[in-house]
Amino acid sequence: MSAQNTLIDLGLMLASGGVEVVDCSGVLGPDTPILQLPADFAKPTPRVEIHKISEYDADGPFFAWNWMVLGEHSGTHFDAPHHWITGKDYEDGYTDTLDVNRLVAPVNVIDCAAESAADPDFLLTADHVKAWEAEHGENGAGDWVVLRSDWDKRADDEAAFLNADDTGPHSPGPTPECMEYLLSKKIVGWGSQCIGTDAGQAGAMDPPYPAHNMLRRDNCFGLASLANLDKLPAKGAILIAAPLKIQRGTGSPMRALALVPKG
């Protein structure tokens, strides 16, 4: 089958409902949970603000539009390689220089929702991934791999979403060995339903924040605060994860869309 016929068939399947488009993004607004960092560690991202310019009134009688205040890494967002020090030297590591062909790829969903509900500090290991592969097939070169924790169910409550106490945040994520294993498969990127791509307690790992550290090291991408991963199959969907083309951008809020076969 030619590439042209494949795209024609895809168009027909989208039109007929044979392929469903699943929105894997949360709502971006003033109530969107924002990552909280210690004041002595880093300058924080501002909260999202939406300000009206006009809405069919004296400031613009025929049109409605707004202006916004937001960080690159707010809400459902994309981490580009330049986001972390290990990726600082990649010239194609910004949102305006990356290879867009890498943004549309098969997505493999590792379901750890039950484990995450039982233990918010659940850590995905390389052995967990190998067991998933034994059941569903290998993670391939260029694939997206995402951790389903159903953490998006907490998104309407910032305290529950951040889940922090005096020892720091508590949320699931990968171990360093897990990230090394996945990157050995040449995946394009890793995603999570939590506030960031790492576990809440990942600062104490070696290296600290392994998803950030290793993904950027290998010029790979991260996706955070994803939603609706419970609507995706373990394997067989396509994820479109495109950041805004921000000049020298380190990341961007995004509308992540999955193409999911029905039936």
Side-chain angles (χ1 to χ4, degrees), residues 76-136:
T76 302
H77 67 271
F78 182 100
D79 289 350
H82 197 75
H83 175 49
W84 206 255
I85 192 170
T86 49
K88 67 182 179 63
D89 294 325
Y90 289 110
E91 189 53 39
D92 61 348
Y94 301 87
T95 56
D96 61 334
T97 60
L98 56 77
D99 179 4
V100 296
N101 286 289
R102 302 173 70 199
L103 303 178
V104 182
V107 58
N108 303 324
V109 181
I110 301 178
D111 183 359
C112 298
E115 293 87 342
S116 299
D119 178 9
D121 287 316
F122 169 76
L123 296 177
L124 184 72
T125 67
D127 285 341
H128 286 128
V129 176
K130 291 173 184 177
W132 183 94
E133 289 179 321
E135 180 177 358
H136 301 288

Side-chain angles (χ1 to χ4, degrees), residues 41-52:
F41 177 71
K43 189 175 181 178
T45 291
R47 300 201 68 82
V48 176
E49 299 178 17
I50 303 176
H51 300 275
K52 183 173 72 174

